[in-house]
């Protein structure tokens, strides 16, 4: 990773020193990196005696709640969160690249007079929306970027043992989930971070147990049904699955429980791009994309699904009724668009 700019680090430190109350926000449907990075920064700020609040646009999945347990993280609720957020003098946005990714919180965040800081690793950040931007793509995760930022803060002075232990563990957790446990987006700096956190006392075995071996049985059965009955692979190597309301009901699928499903078809040799289409409880339709090297999930998400993300991992949505007349048609639509994408852009 290229060195972080000294002037930016100094500006961040000044913002943090001068602020009384800090609000930390991440993206909708928070994943491990979103939860880990906000929690890590929250715990460090609290250890300095700062007042801080963590708020997500939507709730933290049960399977990740253990990371955020000390951060008193809340899902956004205008009744309880507006006052805290409006009275903050610093806003830090982690693991997302533009305020519209905070969906229900977007208008509130835009209206803030507080200084706004971005710490993120997605492509194409909306830099003009922030007073200070740390945006890198030569890095595994927001947690990794935050780790190296924190190491440069004078209070830490490059010594990871000066992080609160739960903060160090949260950084390791977010990096681990965003790299799919070191399976993708691993840079030399990623392994160095892991090494320094291990040396600082993070219990990685306990972390892996909590991240990967405590799912409900239903989740694994759901994966079974989806892979057996709902996976369609096109001649061009597009794997598509549609997780509709009926299947979600059958397995009582809860928030975050289908995370990871989209990665599974990539294990098949001829699959180049994997697309998971998911009908949400409110009738909206979300799309997750994963690709093998040489195929851009990001470009496909931007061109066809109103989204974006990283080269090999991206997300978006299918709009009802603009894109399809009803959610039931979303699976076929996604398969068709992804196939067209492969035909036009990746041939
Ligand atoms: Mn991330």
């Amino acid at each position: 990773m290229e060195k972080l700019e000294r002037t930016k680090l100094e500006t961040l430190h000044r913002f943090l020193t001068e602020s009384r109350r800090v609000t930390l926000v991440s993206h909708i449907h928070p994943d491990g990196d979103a939860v880990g990075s906000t929690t890590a920064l929250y715990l460090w700020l609290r250890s300095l005696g700062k007042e801080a609040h963590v708020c997500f646009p939507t709730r933290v999945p049960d399977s990740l709640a253990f990371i955020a347990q000390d951060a008193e993280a809340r899902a956004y609720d205008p009744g309880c969160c507006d006052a805290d957020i409006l009275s903050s003098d610093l806003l830090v946005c982690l693991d997302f690249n533009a305020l519209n990714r905070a969906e229900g919180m977007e208008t509130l965040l835009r209206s803030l007079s507080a200084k706004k800081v971005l710490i993120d690793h997605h492509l194409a950040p909306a830099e003009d929306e922030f007073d200070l931007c740390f945006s890198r793509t030569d890095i595994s995760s927001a947690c990794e970027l935050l780790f190296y930022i924190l190491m440069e803060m004078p209070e830490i002075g490059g010594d990871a043992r000066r992080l609160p232990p739960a903060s160090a563990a949260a950084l390791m957790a977010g990096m681990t989930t965003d790299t799919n446990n070191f399976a993708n987006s691993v840079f030399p700096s990623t392994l160095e971070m892991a090494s320094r956190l291990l040396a600082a006392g993070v219990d990685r075995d306990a972390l892996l147990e909590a991240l990967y071996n405590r799912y409900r049985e239903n989740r694994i059965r759901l994966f079974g049904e989806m892979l057996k009955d709902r996976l369609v692979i096109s001649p061009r190597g597009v794997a598509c699955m549609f997780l509709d309301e009926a299947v979600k009901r059958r397995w009582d699928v809860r928030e975050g429980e289908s995370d990871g499903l989209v990665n599974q078809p990539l294990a098949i040799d001829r699959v180049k791009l994997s697309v998971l289409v998911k009908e949400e409880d409110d009738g909206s339709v979300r799309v997750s994309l994963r690709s093998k090297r040489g195929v851009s999930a990001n470009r496909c998400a931007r061109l066809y699904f109103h989204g974006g993300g990283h080269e090999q991992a991206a997300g978006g949505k299918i709009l009802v009724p603009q894109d399809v007349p009803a959610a039931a048609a979303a699976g076929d639509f996604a398969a068709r668009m992804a196939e067209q994408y492969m035909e036009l852009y990746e041939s």
Side-chain angles (χ1 to χ4, degrees), residues 190-228:
T190 315
L191 294 169
E192 185 193 325
M193 166 199 180
S195 168
R196 288 167 71 177
L197 288 174
L198 274 180
V202 172
D203 185 346
R204 211 178 113 77
D205 290 344
L207 193 58
L208 292 184
E209 187 69 22
L211 282 174
Y212 297 117
N213 295 343
R214 278 189 204 146
Y215 290 115
R216 295 189 313 142
E217 181 179 336
N218 277 20
R219 176 179 183 268
I220 309 303
R221 304 273 181 206
L222 163 76
F223 278 33
E225 173 173 340
M226 292 298 292
L227 295 170
K228 178 170 167 288

XYZ file of all heavy atoms in Angstrom, residues 190-228:
319
model
N -2.125 -6.351 4.038
C -3.200 -7.051 4.756
C -2.604 -8.081 5.715
O -3.014 -8.196 6.874
C -4.125 -7.775 3.744
O -4.419 -6.896 2.664
C -5.405 -8.218 4.415
N -1.629 -8.832 5.194
C -0.988 -9.844 6.044
C -0.176 -9.178 7.150
O -0.113 -9.681 8.271
C -0.112 -10.762 5.183
C -0.912 -11.620 4.199
C 0.005 -12.297 3.193
C -1.744 -12.665 4.934
N 0.410 -8.038 6.824
C 1.175 -7.330 7.854
C 0.255 -6.856 8.983
O 0.561 -6.997 10.162
C 1.897 -6.124 7.242
C 2.807 -5.435 8.240
C 3.283 -4.072 7.748
O 3.498 -3.912 6.534
O 3.411 -3.177 8.604
N -0.904 -6.338 8.585
C -1.885 -5.909 9.592
C -2.297 -7.091 10.468
O -2.324 -6.994 11.699
C -3.116 -5.345 8.881
C -4.325 -5.169 9.766
S -5.807 -5.034 8.723
C -7.086 -4.843 9.965
N -2.604 -8.219 9.820
C -3.015 -9.407 10.577
C -1.919 -9.828 11.543
O -2.176 -10.162 12.709
C -3.344 -10.548 9.615
N -0.698 -9.789 11.059
C 0.428 -10.185 11.891
C 0.560 -9.266 13.112
O 0.740 -9.727 14.241
C 1.694 -10.139 11.019
O 2.827 -10.238 11.809
N 0.439 -7.985 12.880
C 0.588 -7.031 13.998
C -0.565 -7.146 14.987
O -0.387 -6.982 16.193
C 0.704 -5.601 13.442
C 2.063 -5.382 12.765
C 2.112 -4.128 11.932
N 2.118 -2.912 12.740
C 2.216 -1.682 12.217
N 2.328 -1.537 10.904
N 2.206 -0.634 12.993
N -1.772 -7.431 14.471
C -2.911 -7.597 15.383
C -2.784 -8.891 16.190
O -3.119 -8.934 17.376
C -4.225 -7.578 14.599
C -4.646 -6.209 14.052
C -5.887 -6.346 13.170
C -4.911 -5.213 15.182
N -2.286 -9.943 15.525
C -2.047 -11.197 16.263
C -1.031 -10.970 17.371
O -1.227 -11.394 18.510
C -1.506 -12.276 15.309
C -2.500 -13.117 14.519
C -1.733 -14.117 13.656
C -3.474 -13.842 15.436
N 0.044 -10.281 17.019
C 1.086 -10.003 18.015
C 0.543 -9.131 19.150
O 1.019 -9.215 20.282
C 2.274 -9.308 17.337
N -0.479 -8.328 18.829
C -1.072 -7.467 19.862
C -2.065 -8.232 20.733
O -2.633 -7.674 21.665
C -1.755 -6.276 19.204
N -2.294 -9.514 20.400
C -3.108 -10.344 21.288
C -4.492 -10.702 20.784
O -5.282 -11.302 21.522
N -4.823 -10.376 19.531
C -6.148 -10.754 19.018
C -6.251 -12.280 18.934
O -5.356 -12.939 18.410
C -6.399 -10.135 17.623
C -7.676 -10.688 17.003
C -6.484 -8.616 17.727
N -7.336 -12.815 19.461
C -7.573 -14.263 19.439
C -8.298 -14.614 18.136
O -9.521 -14.563 18.054
C -8.422 -14.656 20.655
C -8.618 -16.159 20.763
O -8.341 -16.881 19.772
O -9.050 -16.621 21.839
N -7.511 -14.967 17.105
C -8.097 -15.207 15.787
C -8.914 -16.491 15.743
O -9.924 -16.569 15.047
C -6.995 -15.239 14.721
C -7.472 -14.741 13.373
C -6.386 -14.723 12.352
N -6.649 -15.696 11.308
C -7.538 -15.507 10.328
N -8.244 -14.413 10.268
N -7.733 -16.423 9.413
N -8.496 -17.483 16.498
C -9.267 -18.737 16.536
C -10.678 -18.487 17.061
O -11.667 -18.971 16.491
C -8.568 -19.781 17.413
C -7.279 -20.280 16.766
O -7.110 -20.061 15.547
O -6.443 -20.865 17.470
N -10.768 -17.724 18.127
C -12.089 -17.410 18.697
C -12.912 -16.603 17.701
O -14.117 -16.811 17.553
C -11.917 -16.640 19.998
N -12.229 -15.707 17.004
C -12.902 -14.867 16.016
C -13.467 -15.716 14.873
O -14.620 -15.542 14.457
C -11.889 -13.859 15.467
C -12.407 -12.699 14.670
C -13.390 -11.875 15.490
C -11.239 -11.828 14.224
N -12.666 -16.648 14.354
C -13.135 -17.492 13.249
C -14.302 -18.364 13.692
O -15.251 -18.578 12.933
C -11.979 -18.372 12.729
C -10.856 -17.627 12.016
C -9.834 -18.609 11.461
C -11.384 -16.741 10.892
N -14.219 -18.860 14.907
C -15.315 -19.663 15.448
C -16.603 -18.831 15.457
O -17.656 -19.288 15.018
C -14.933 -20.099 16.878
C -15.877 -21.075 17.536
C -15.853 -22.452 16.889
O -14.857 -22.809 16.229
O -16.871 -23.163 17.044
N -16.501 -17.601 15.934
C -17.686 -16.737 16.032
C -18.194 -16.313 14.653
O -19.398 -16.187 14.437
C -17.359 -15.508 16.870
N -17.280 -16.118 13.697
C -17.684 -15.659 12.365
C -18.268 -16.771 11.510
O -19.221 -16.554 10.767
C -16.488 -15.059 11.620
C -16.045 -13.655 11.992
C -14.763 -13.296 11.242
C -17.131 -12.634 11.685
N -17.680 -17.963 11.594
C -18.004 -18.982 10.587
C -18.637 -20.264 11.121
O -19.134 -21.058 10.341
C -16.742 -19.341 9.786
C -16.196 -18.161 9.016
C -14.933 -17.652 9.287
C -16.970 -17.540 8.036
C -14.434 -16.563 8.583
C -16.484 -16.438 7.337
C -15.221 -15.957 7.614
O -14.744 -14.873 6.922
N -18.598 -20.483 12.412
C -19.124 -21.756 12.922
C -20.280 -21.601 13.892
O -20.522 -22.476 14.723
C -17.999 -22.564 13.596
C -16.934 -22.986 12.603
O -17.168 -22.956 11.394
N -15.772 -23.355 13.090
N -20.993 -20.492 13.782
C -22.141 -20.315 14.685
C -23.405 -19.933 13.945
O -24.259 -19.239 14.465
C -21.821 -19.269 15.747
C -21.023 -19.876 16.869
C -20.866 -18.948 18.047
N -19.685 -19.349 18.778
C -18.869 -18.531 19.402
N -19.119 -17.242 19.423
N -17.812 -18.989 20.026
N -23.509 -20.399 12.697
C -24.722 -20.100 11.951
C -25.862 -20.996 12.418
O -25.634 -22.085 12.957
C -24.497 -20.352 10.455
C -23.566 -19.357 9.816
C -22.338 -19.766 9.299
C -23.918 -18.019 9.727
C -21.478 -18.854 8.697
C -23.065 -17.101 9.125
C -21.854 -17.526 8.621
O -21.024 -16.628 8.030
N -27.065 -20.568 12.128
C -28.212 -21.440 12.350
C -28.206 -22.500 11.248
O -27.781 -22.248 10.120
C -29.508 -20.642 12.273
C -29.639 -19.611 13.390
C -31.030 -19.002 13.411
N -31.470 -18.587 12.088
C -32.711 -18.704 11.646
N -33.640 -19.238 12.404
N -33.033 -18.297 10.439
N -28.714 -23.676 11.601
C -28.773 -24.769 10.624
C -29.535 -24.345 9.365
O -29.179 -24.717 8.243
C -29.454 -25.977 11.271
C -29.551 -27.182 10.350
C -30.209 -28.370 11.042
O -30.182 -28.433 12.282
O -30.742 -29.231 10.309
N -30.579 -23.523 9.568
C -31.403 -23.068 8.440
C -30.587 -22.453 7.320
O -30.910 -22.602 6.145
C -32.401 -22.014 8.927
C -33.624 -22.650 9.519
O -33.583 -23.819 9.894
N -34.695 -21.898 9.608
N -29.553 -21.714 7.690
C -28.757 -21.036 6.676
C -28.081 -22.047 5.756
O -28.054 -21.884 4.534
C -27.709 -20.150 7.330
C -26.768 -19.491 6.335
C -25.771 -18.618 7.062
N -24.884 -17.915 6.157
C -23.694 -18.374 5.753
N -23.263 -19.548 6.173
N -22.954 -17.672 4.932
N -27.556 -23.092 6.313
C -26.861 -24.102 5.511
C -27.864 -24.867 4.641
O -27.605 -25.167 3.478
C -26.069 -25.065 6.426
C -25.185 -24.262 7.395
C -25.242 -26.041 5.599
C -24.202 -23.305 6.736
N -29.046 -25.146 5.214
C -30.103 -25.819 4.427
C -30.560 -24.920 3.269
O -30.837 -25.408 2.178
C -31.305 -26.138 5.322
C -30.959 -26.977 6.537
C -30.998 -28.442 6.227
N -30.691 -29.245 7.384
C -30.172 -30.464 7.315
N -29.901 -31.020 6.139
N -29.914 -31.134 8.399
N -30.657 -23.626 3.534
C -31.022 -22.665 2.478
C -29.994 -22.721 1.346
O -30.354 -22.789 0.166
C -31.073 -21.244 3.054
C -31.042 -20.122 2.007
C -32.397 -19.987 1.327
C -30.621 -18.791 2.622
N -28.716 -22.685 1.701
C -27.656 -22.778 0.690
C -27.849 -24.049 -0.130
O -27.712 -24.044 -1.350
C -26.266 -22.781 1.343
C -25.736 -21.409 1.701
C -26.582 -20.394 2.101
C -24.372 -21.136 1.649
C -26.097 -19.134 2.444
C -23.870 -19.884 1.975
C -24.732 -18.881 2.377
N -28.168 -25.140 0.557
C -28.380 -26.418 -0.119
C -29.467 -26.316 -1.165
O -29.276 -26.691 -2.323
N -30.624 -25.787 -0.767
C -31.734 -25.689 -1.730
C -31.383 -24.762 -2.896
O -31.647 -25.076 -4.058
C -33.006 -25.178 -1.045
C -34.093 -24.931 -2.093
C -35.465 -24.590 -1.526
O -35.729 -24.891 -0.352
O -36.278 -24.030 -2.297
N -30.780 -23.628 -2.582
C -30.459 -22.657 -3.637
C -29.488 -23.264 -4.647
O -29.655 -23.110 -5.855
C -29.859 -21.385 -3.030
C -30.825 -20.567 -2.192
S -32.257 -19.936 -3.095
C -31.472 -18.746 -4.170
N -28.469 -23.946 -4.160
C -27.451 -24.493 -5.061
C -27.978 -25.694 -5.840
O -27.598 -25.918 -6.990
C -26.194 -24.868 -4.265
C -25.472 -23.676 -3.629
C -24.390 -24.141 -2.658
C -24.864 -22.762 -4.699
N -28.880 -26.434 -5.220
C -29.391 -27.632 -5.884
C -30.482 -27.285 -6.898
O -30.448 -27.788 -8.022
C -29.946 -28.590 -4.824
C -30.552 -29.862 -5.367
C -30.838 -30.828 -4.223
C -31.729 -31.973 -4.684
N -33.109 -31.565 -4.937
